[in-house]
Amino acid sequence: DPIVTSSDAVCIGDSIILTIGDGEFYQWYNDTNLISGATNSFYVSYQSGNYSVEVSYSNGCAANSNVASISVLPFPPVPTLSSAGNNTLQTNSTEPNIQWYLDGNAIAGEDQQTLQMTVSGYYHLTAANSIGCTSSSDTIFFEYIGAVGVDETGQALQLLEIFPNPAGDQLNLSFTTSEKQDVILSITD
Protein backbone atom coordinates (compact mmCIF):
# COMPACT_ATOMS: atom_id res chain seq x y z
CA ASP A 1 0.00 0.00 0.00
CA PRO A 2 1.17 3.56 -0.70
CA ILE A 3 2.29 5.56 2.33
CA VAL A 4 1.49 9.25 2.85
CA THR A 5 4.32 11.14 4.56
CA SER A 6 3.98 14.48 6.33
CA SER A 7 4.19 16.32 9.61
CA ASP A 8 1.16 16.01 11.84
CA ALA A 9 0.43 19.56 13.03
CA VAL A 10 0.84 23.17 11.90
CA CYS A 11 -0.28 26.61 13.02
CA ILE A 12 -3.25 28.41 11.49
CA GLY A 13 -2.10 30.11 8.28
CA ASP A 14 0.68 27.59 7.69
CA SER A 15 0.42 24.71 5.27
CA ILE A 16 1.42 21.11 5.40
CA ILE A 17 2.59 19.12 2.38
CA LEU A 18 1.41 15.54 2.06
CA THR A 19 3.43 13.40 -0.33
CA ILE A 20 3.10 9.95 -1.83
CA GLY A 21 5.70 7.79 -3.58
CA ASP A 22 5.39 6.05 -6.94
CA GLY A 23 2.27 6.06 -9.06
CA GLU A 24 0.80 7.41 -12.26
CA PHE A 25 -2.54 8.86 -11.23
CA TYR A 26 -3.57 10.30 -7.88
CA GLN A 27 -6.77 11.39 -6.16
CA TRP A 28 -6.62 12.93 -2.69
CA TYR A 29 -9.35 12.68 -0.05
CA ASN A 30 -10.10 14.49 3.21
CA ASP A 31 -12.25 12.52 5.65
CA THR A 32 -13.23 10.23 2.72
CA ASN A 33 -14.46 13.24 0.69
CA LEU A 34 -12.87 13.67 -2.73
CA ILE A 35 -10.81 16.87 -2.99
CA SER A 36 -11.57 18.40 -6.37
CA GLY A 37 -8.46 19.06 -8.48
CA ALA A 38 -6.13 17.27 -6.03
CA THR A 39 -4.53 14.90 -8.53
CA ASN A 40 -0.76 15.29 -7.98
CA SER A 41 1.69 13.14 -6.03
CA PHE A 42 1.55 15.79 -3.30
CA TYR A 43 -1.20 17.84 -1.69
CA VAL A 44 -0.82 21.13 0.21
CA SER A 45 -3.32 21.37 3.06
CA TYR A 46 -4.30 24.36 5.18
CA GLN A 47 -6.93 22.62 7.31
CA SER A 48 -7.32 19.79 9.78
CA GLY A 49 -8.53 16.43 8.58
CA ASN A 50 -7.79 12.79 7.85
CA TYR A 51 -6.10 12.67 4.44
CA SER A 52 -5.55 9.75 2.12
CA VAL A 53 -4.81 9.25 -1.57
CA GLU A 54 -5.85 6.69 -4.12
CA VAL A 55 -2.94 5.78 -6.39
CA SER A 56 -3.71 4.15 -9.73
CA TYR A 57 -1.80 2.98 -12.76
CA SER A 58 -2.58 2.79 -16.50
CA ASN A 59 -2.75 -1.02 -16.21
CA GLY A 60 -5.86 -0.66 -13.98
CA CYS A 61 -4.22 -1.44 -10.65
CA ALA A 62 -5.11 0.88 -7.78
CA ALA A 63 -4.37 1.11 -4.06
CA ASN A 64 -5.39 3.36 -1.19
CA SER A 65 -2.82 4.92 1.10
CA ASN A 66 -2.74 5.05 4.84
CA VAL A 67 -4.66 7.89 6.53
CA ALA A 68 -2.60 10.87 7.68
CA SER A 69 -4.28 12.86 10.46
CA ILE A 70 -3.45 16.56 10.23
CA SER A 71 -4.17 19.14 12.92
CA VAL A 72 -4.17 22.88 12.30
CA LEU A 73 -3.80 24.55 15.69
CA PRO A 74 -4.66 28.10 16.71
CA PHE A 75 -2.08 30.54 18.02
CA PRO A 76 -2.08 30.94 21.80
CA PRO A 77 -3.99 33.90 23.24
CA VAL A 78 -1.84 37.05 23.28
CA PRO A 79 -0.15 37.04 26.68
CA THR A 80 -0.43 40.03 28.96
CA LEU A 81 2.22 41.18 31.36
CA SER A 82 1.90 43.32 34.44
CA SER A 83 3.74 44.27 37.59
CA ALA A 84 3.16 42.06 40.62
CA GLY A 85 5.07 44.49 42.86
CA ASN A 86 8.55 44.16 44.35
CA ASN A 87 10.20 44.36 40.89
CA THR A 88 8.33 41.24 39.77
CA LEU A 89 6.56 40.94 36.43
CA GLN A 90 3.86 38.36 35.78
CA THR A 91 1.92 36.96 32.83
CA ASN A 92 -1.50 35.36 32.46
CA SER A 93 -0.21 32.85 29.89
CA THR A 94 -0.49 29.15 30.71
CA GLU A 95 1.23 28.00 27.51
CA PRO A 96 4.05 25.45 27.98
CA ASN A 97 6.74 27.62 26.36
CA ILE A 98 7.20 31.15 27.70
CA GLN A 99 10.20 33.40 26.98
CA TRP A 100 10.80 36.82 28.57
CA TYR A 101 12.62 39.62 26.71
CA LEU A 102 14.38 42.79 27.85
CA ASP A 103 14.97 45.53 25.27
CA GLY A 104 14.24 43.04 22.47
CA ASN A 105 16.70 40.37 23.65
CA ALA A 106 15.72 37.01 25.14
CA ILE A 107 16.59 36.73 28.83
CA ALA A 108 18.41 33.42 29.25
CA GLY A 109 16.60 30.95 31.48
CA GLU A 110 13.55 33.16 32.03
CA ASP A 111 10.68 30.93 30.96
CA GLN A 112 8.25 30.96 33.89
CA GLN A 113 5.05 32.95 34.58
CA THR A 114 6.94 35.45 36.73
CA LEU A 115 10.15 37.39 36.18
CA GLN A 116 12.25 39.10 38.84
CA MET A 117 13.53 42.34 37.25
CA THR A 118 17.06 43.52 37.91
CA VAL A 119 17.06 46.62 35.66
CA SER A 120 14.61 49.07 34.11
CA GLY A 121 13.76 48.50 30.48
CA TYR A 122 11.30 47.51 27.80
CA TYR A 123 9.91 44.06 28.61
CA HIS A 124 7.77 41.68 26.59
CA LEU A 125 7.25 37.95 26.39
CA THR A 126 6.28 35.27 23.92
CA ALA A 127 4.06 32.28 24.59
CA ALA A 128 4.16 29.20 22.37
CA ASN A 129 2.04 26.08 22.31
CA SER A 130 3.42 22.53 22.05
CA ILE A 131 4.14 22.77 18.29
CA GLY A 132 5.62 26.27 18.35
CA CYS A 133 2.67 28.49 17.37
CA THR A 134 3.78 31.71 19.08
CA SER A 135 2.03 34.88 20.26
CA SER A 136 3.81 37.96 21.58
CA SER A 137 2.73 40.43 24.27
CA ASP A 138 2.89 44.19 23.97
CA THR A 139 6.26 45.73 24.87
CA ILE A 140 6.00 47.81 28.05
CA PHE A 141 8.57 49.91 29.91
CA PHE A 142 8.96 48.91 33.56
CA GLU A 143 10.98 50.89 36.08
CA TYR A 144 13.21 48.89 38.40
CA ILE A 145 12.94 50.19 41.96
CA GLY A 146 16.28 49.63 43.64
CA ALA A 147 16.58 48.93 47.33
CA VAL A 148 18.97 50.81 49.57
CA GLY A 149 20.58 48.47 52.05
CA VAL A 150 21.70 49.62 55.47
CA ASP A 151 25.36 49.31 54.56
CA GLU A 152 24.84 51.10 51.19
CA THR A 153 23.29 54.32 52.41
CA GLY A 154 26.26 56.66 52.17
CA GLN A 155 25.25 60.29 52.73
CA ALA A 156 21.57 60.03 51.71
CA LEU A 157 20.32 58.14 54.78
CA GLN A 158 21.87 59.10 58.10
CA LEU A 159 21.56 58.18 61.74
CA LEU A 160 19.74 54.92 61.15
CA GLU A 161 18.62 53.30 64.38
CA ILE A 162 16.89 49.94 64.60
CA PHE A 163 15.63 48.92 68.05
CA PRO A 164 15.13 46.84 70.09
CA ASN A 165 17.63 44.29 68.89
CA PRO A 166 16.65 41.50 68.98
CA ALA A 167 13.04 42.48 68.28
CA GLY A 168 9.88 40.69 69.34
CA ASP A 169 6.48 41.75 68.03
CA GLN A 170 7.52 45.35 67.39
CA LEU A 171 10.51 46.92 65.65
CA ASN A 172 11.33 50.63 65.68
CA LEU A 173 13.22 52.46 62.94
CA SER A 174 14.54 55.99 63.21
CA PHE A 175 16.55 57.87 60.55
CA THR A 176 17.13 61.25 58.94
CA THR A 177 17.88 62.11 55.31
CA SER A 178 20.22 64.77 54.01
CA GLU A 179 17.94 65.57 51.05
CA LYS A 180 14.26 65.27 50.16
CA GLN A 181 13.66 61.80 48.76
CA ASP A 182 11.29 58.87 48.69
CA VAL A 183 12.36 56.10 51.03
CA ILE A 184 11.04 52.57 50.68
CA LEU A 185 11.81 50.21 53.53
CA SER A 186 11.54 46.49 53.15
CA ILE A 187 11.94 44.39 56.29
CA THR A 188 12.14 40.64 56.15
CA ASP A 189 12.38 38.13 58.92
Side-chain angles (χ1 to χ4, degrees):
D1 287 341
I3 297 175
V4 175
T5 58
S6 72
S7 299
D8 61 350
V10 294
C11 306
I12 287 178
D14 288 342
S15 64
I16 193 162
I17 300 173
L18 304 166
T19 60
I20 193 74
D22 293 335
E24 291 181 61
F25 307 103
Y26 309 93
Q27 180 56 64
W28 288 89
Y29 295 84
N30 183 0
D31 296 325
T32 69
N33 299 311
L34 182 137
I35 303 170
S36 180
T39 57
N40 292 316
S41 63
F42 65 93
Y43 179 71
V44 180
S45 175
Y46 294 89
Q47 61 185 16
S48 296
N50 297 306
Y51 291 87
S52 63
V53 62
E54 179 183 34
V55 178
S56 58
Y57 300 87
S58 56
N59 65 7
C61 292
N64 291 319
S65 73
N66 62 309
V67 173
S69 295
I70 305 301
S71 297
V72 177
L73 301 177
F75 286 90
V78 173
T80 61
L81 66 147
S82 60
S83 173
N86 297 323
N87 291 317
T88 301
L89 302 181
Q90 64 186 5
T91 181
N92 66 336
S93 179
T94 57
E95 294 300 327
N97 301 301
I98 293 172
Q99 177 61 60
W100 289 90
Y101 292 80
L102 170 60
D103 297 330
N105 299 307
I107 305 170
E110 296 298 344
D111 56 6
Q112 301 298 310
Q113 286 185 301
T114 59
L115 169 72
Q116 188 66 44
M117 293 189 321
T118 57
V119 295
S120 299
Y122 290 92
Y123 288 86
H124 81 278
L125 64 101
T126 58
N129 63 21
S130 60
I131 68 160
C133 303
T134 304
S135 295
S136 183
S137 72
D138 289 336
T139 299
I140 301 174
F141 183 83
F142 286 96
E143 182 74 33
Y144 174 78
I145 300 170
V148 176
V150 172
D151 59 345
E152 300 171 359
T153 58
Q155 298 293 323
L157 188 63
Q158 301 167 355
L159 302 173
L160 174 66
E161 296 178 348
I162 302 173
F163 59 92
N165 190 5
D169 293 338
Q170 185 174 357
L171 176 68
N172 297 299
L173 294 159
S174 174
F175 60 90
T176 60
T177 60
S178 61
E179 56 191 55
K180 184 176 176 164
Q181 61 182 307
D182 292 332
V183 176
I184 298 172
L185 298 173
S186 176
I187 300 172
T188 56
D189 188 3

